[in-house]
Amino acid sequence: MTDFDVVVIGGGPAGMAAALAADAEGARTLIVERDNRLGGILNQCIHAGFGLHYFGEELTGPEYAGRFVERVEKSRAQVALESMVLSLTDDRKVTYLSPEKGLVRINAGAVVLAMGCRERTAGAIALAGTRPAGVYTAGAAQRLCNIEGYLVGKRVVILGSGDIGLIMARRMTLEGAKVARVIELMPYSSGLKRNIVQCLDDFGIPINYAHTVTRIEGSPRMTGLYYAPVDERRRPVMSEEKYEPCDCLLLSVGLIPENDLLAGTEVERDGVTSGAVVDERRMTSVEGIFSCGNVLHVHDLVDNVSREAETAGRHAALYALGESETALHCYDARGERGVRYVLPQKLHADSGKVELFFRVDNVYRSCRIVAESGGRTLYSGRRLVLAPGEMEKIVVDTTGLDAPVTVRLEL
Amino acid sequence: MKTICINCPLGCPIEVTESGGKILVRGNTCKRGHDYGVTEYLRPVRTVTTLVTREDGAVVSVKTSAPVPKDSIFELQRHIKTLRVPLAVKRGDTVERNALGLGADIVVTGVPPVAR
Ligand SMILES: Cc1cc2nc3c(=O)[nH]c(=O)nc-3n(C[C@H](O)[C@H](O)[C@H](O)COP(=O)(O)OP(=O)(O)OC[C@H]3O[C@@H](n4cnc5c(N)ncnc54)[C@H](O)[C@@H]3O)c2cc1C
Ligand code: SF4
């Protein structure tokens, strides 16, 4: 006996879209969300830039979330708020802690993982120096600023040029802080170009590429930091170290899918994405457990999150209702030369046209993307520019697929 | 003036100059880049997103209903900081019409739940 056909863990854009798709298939659906409202990270992303693809207009994060919340409220899907999922098993027993009901154990016909991701911290990147107050991840600063209404510093340095850091550079400038500089380890930005232009250039905030923070100073509150250029092997050149006074350092050094719940399962993980290995339905290596959104791989556009989650939610419903059909034969999809990972990592033969998402490992200009399977070319197309910060997509036809698929770049 | 076109991932570095009343855009690969260059040169505009305070002290996110001139952003931000919204405010509500006469309204984009 199952309590719900589909249990969705996480009520961000991924969880909401997955639940709506499952509900549309007639599945009894529950969303379990630990926050006091749906919307996930979008609630704190008050800037515009969401929904151009999905809704055909540019919305702010809360507006994009709001549209989905309205749909969820109108659907039959149930929502448990302030409820944190504590464990998940291979046979789809979900345990969560709820303020009204205490510890709740439910059996799910299918589970959709939609827990999003968390930020890398100072510990995760091994930053030297003391541990004074004033060091935040950019997302934590964003939450404090946009949800709680606190400004975390007056003179700010941002390490890493990920989108959250760039967005926070503008946000804190608007709120009256001085953003002294952005320091990026790589020779290019991992953020979207529009964010470099509209968040840094617009306000005259300098960015030092191929630099890193070497030390933090001050106690109990930070008073400044040292930074230096790095050599080809990304080691700081200490002789060129410089000082920057500041009372706040924001870290925007990458996101990690929040997959701790998988510890109790046999779900196979991808070493590059840190998310699960999935097939085109977004089903993991454990039958009936699906994954989508940032917990599967880090997305830069929420529009892609919603689409991917719809795929996962629909197939989770079909699986739970016993209507899921796929060919027996399943093949790996892999990235080669220049392609860091391909998602989905598994493809069933004869599952129609499938979108393959991937990221490249460097900035490439004027190159060709080639997808091959057993000597057959599935896709070949030119791109003027490819960058690690922007997720790419190609479409391949899986009809008659009989060998693994590789995706690579030809310069 | 030098800038980067943001209309697609290519990010062409573009340069805009004026001579004899004509505006010249160089470095763009396509027409969208040309148009972007001209607007950026003549009258760069941005949508402003920020926060206003609700009666209970919580912050409510807002945006300008249309892009406003880039050089008015700070003045507008200072003005928006002085606004207060009632507890019943909803997404989509207009907080103020034609703020500072810039031709854009201040519209609510998201509200946190009211504490129980
Ligand atoms: C600062 C920032 C700026 C961005 N800017 C843009 C932009 O301009 N345009 C754009 O298109 N995209 C942007 N994105 C990307 C987009 O917002 C994300 O890709 C998207 O929100 C991811 O959705 P998600 O549902 O996978 O994750 P999230 O939104 O993180 O949602 C995950 C949810 O799961 C819940 N959860 C986690 N673990 C548990 C548990 N154990 N039990 C219960 N609940 C749990 C969390 O509370 C959260 O609500 C931005 C992202 C960030 C962080
Ligand atoms: S000019 Fe055209 S090709 Fe170049 S960045 Fe702008 S839109 Fe893209």
Side-chain angles (χ1 to χ4, degrees):
Chain A
M1 252 307 276
T2 60
D3 300 293
F4 285 94
D5 295 320
V6 176
V7 171
V8 179
I9 309 178
M16 290 193 285
L20 287 168
D23 176 63
E25 294 295 331
R28 293 169 300 146
T29 305
L30 171 72
I31 303 177
V32 187
E33 165 60 51
R34 66 182 171 196
D35 205 349
N36 61 359
R37 57 172 155 170
L38 295 171
I41 200 83
L42 291 181
N43 289 325
Q44 67 185 65
C45 297
I46 65 166
H47 60 283
F50 302 83
L52 263 178
H53 302 276
Y54 195 91
F55 289 112
E57 60 182 301
E58 194 173 36
L59 303 170
T60 63
E63 289 174 306
Y64 190 98
R67 290 197 180 188
F68 274 90
V69 174
E70 265 168 29
R71 291 180 185 186
V72 171
E73 281 166 355
K74 286 195 191 118
S75 77
R76 287 158 299 180
Q78 294 185 34
V79 182
L81 292 177
E82 296 180 68
S83 298
M84 168 112 182
V85 174
L86 301 176
S87 74
L88 167 70
T89 61
D90 284 336
D91 56 355
R92 303 184 297 280
K93 288 189 174 41
V94 179
T95 308
Y96 67 91
L97 196 58
S98 135
E100 300 99 33
K101 299 184 197 152
L103 206 57
V104 183
R105 283 199 183 83
I106 49 176
N107 289 311
V111 169
V112 180
L113 308 171
M115 294 92 76
C117 52
R118 62 163 169 260
E119 293 171 287
R120 276 181 219 280
T121 57
I125 58 158
L127 210 55
T130 53
R131 289 283 176 274
V135 183
Y136 299 86
T137 63
Q142 186 182 46
R143 188 179 169 88
L144 283 166
C145 181
N146 295 345
I147 308 262
E148 317 287 341
Y150 299 110
L151 195 61
V152 294
K154 294 201 178 75
R155 190 177 164 88
V156 188
V157 171
I158 298 174
L159 174 61
S161 60
D163 287 312
I164 318 178
L166 300 176
I167 297 279
M168 280 312 288
R170 173 175 62 189
R171 196 73 208 77
M172 294 195 67
T173 306
L174 266 183
E175 291 293 341
K178 165 84 186 160
V179 178
R181 63 185 65 252
V182 175
I183 295 170
E184 167 60 54
L185 181 66
M186 304 301 285
Y188 51 81
S189 166
S190 55
L192 300 174
K193 194 146 275 157
R194 56 174 286 152
N195 286 337
I196 298 275
V197 173
Q198 298 203 343
C199 300
L200 301 187
D201 298 355
D202 266 11
F203 300 99
I205 300 168
I207 177 162
N208 296 93
Y209 290 110
H211 276 66
T212 193
V213 171
T214 45
R215 275 181 291 153
I216 303 176
E217 250 191 15
S219 174
R221 176 90 196 186
M222 73 179 288
T223 49
L225 55 75
Y226 290 87
Y227 65 103
V230 294
D231 61 20
E232 316 79 58
R233 295 171 64 193
R234 289 185 219 155
R235 285 173 316 199
V237 183
M238 296 308 272
S239 56
E240 292 178 43
E241 208 181 34
K242 285 199 191 81
Y243 183 72
E244 181 72 61
C246 58
D247 63 355
C248 177
L249 171 66
L250 298 189
L251 303 170
S252 181
V253 289
L255 301 162
I256 327 171
E258 185 146 359
N259 269 311
D260 314 60
L261 277 181
L262 293 188
T265 70
E266 294 291 314
V267 171
E268 187 190 337
R269 303 271 285 271
D270 181 320
V272 179
T273 61
S274 303
V277 169
V278 292
D279 65 15
E280 71 287 342
R281 299 169 296 174
R282 302 298 185 270
M283 186 155 103
T284 67
S285 60
V286 173
E287 287 264 312
I289 299 184
F290 295 75
S291 181
C292 57
N294 275 357
V295 78
L296 181 57
H297 59 140
V298 176
H299 292 68
D300 23 66
L301 289 182
V302 70
D303 310 65
N304 289 332
V305 170
S306 300
R307 289 251 149 74
E308 176 172 272
E310 284 166 358
T311 303
R314 190 167 70 82
H315 284 287
L318 294 179
Y319 178 87
L321 301 172
E323 294 162 14
S324 188
E325 273 174 31
T326 50
L328 270 179
H329 298 292
C330 192
Y331 301 95
D332 286 349
R334 266 201 335 271
E336 282 183 352
R337 226 178 310 145
V339 177
R340 285 189 57 223
Y341 74 84
V342 174
L343 198 134
Q345 297 92 340
K346 305 258 178 207
L347 291 171
H348 283 95
D350 304 319
S351 48
K353 289 205 163 73
V354 173
E355 291 177 331
L356 293 184
F357 294 90
F358 62 92
R359 280 184 197 273
V360 295
D361 62 4
N362 210 327
V363 178
Y364 295 96
R365 286 189 184 271
S366 180
C367 60
R368 183 170 286 282
I369 301 170
V370 180
E372 264 179 10
S373 171
R376 221 157 36 97
T377 303
L378 299 181
Y379 178 93
S380 173
R382 244 171 66 76
R383 293 288 193 286
L384 283 171
V385 70
L386 291 170
E390 323 223 358
M391 194 159 74
E392 279 295 323
K393 177 178 88 176
I394 60 173
V395 178
V396 297
D397 191 346
T398 55
T399 311
L401 194 71
D402 57 5
V405 176
T406 57
V407 182
R408 63 168 192 275
L409 302 184
E410 284 177 4
L411 305 179
Chain B
M1 184 195 71
K2 284 183 181 163
T3 183
I4 298 171
C5 176
I6 57 162
N7 285 302
C8 87
L10 198 56
C12 298
I14 54 181
E15 188 169 356
V16 192
T17 48
E18 191 175 350
S19 81
K22 270 205 172 142
I23 295 169
L24 282 172
V25 181
R26 261 174 305 180
N28 58 308
T29 305
C30 72
K31 185 165 180 310
R32 283 197 296 164
H34 175 268
D35 297 349
Y36 177 79
V38 173
T39 332
E40 278 297 288
Y41 182 76
L42 289 179
R43 185 176 170 265
V45 290
R46 301 286 184 263
T47 297
V48 176
T49 57
T50 185
L51 304 164
V52 296
T53 311
R54 195 167 63 182
E55 265 172 12
D56 61 348
V59 289
V60 165
S61 58
V62 296
K63 69 171 182 184
T64 54
S65 60
V68 298
K70 197 172 114 179
D71 53 19
S72 67
I73 292 179
F74 280 102
E75 197 193 344
L76 184 61
Q77 161 77 12
R78 275 195 298 275
H79 171 67
I80 293 176
K81 283 264 105 171
T82 65
L83 303 175
R84 288 286 174 276
V85 293
L87 218 49
V89 80
K90 297 186 311 299
R91 179 166 63 88
D93 286 357
T94 299
V95 178
E96 188 177 65
R97 292 205 183 282
N98 194 14
L100 296 182
L102 295 169
D105 302 339
I106 309 301
V107 179
V108 174
T109 57
V111 284
V114 176
R116 283 172 291 181

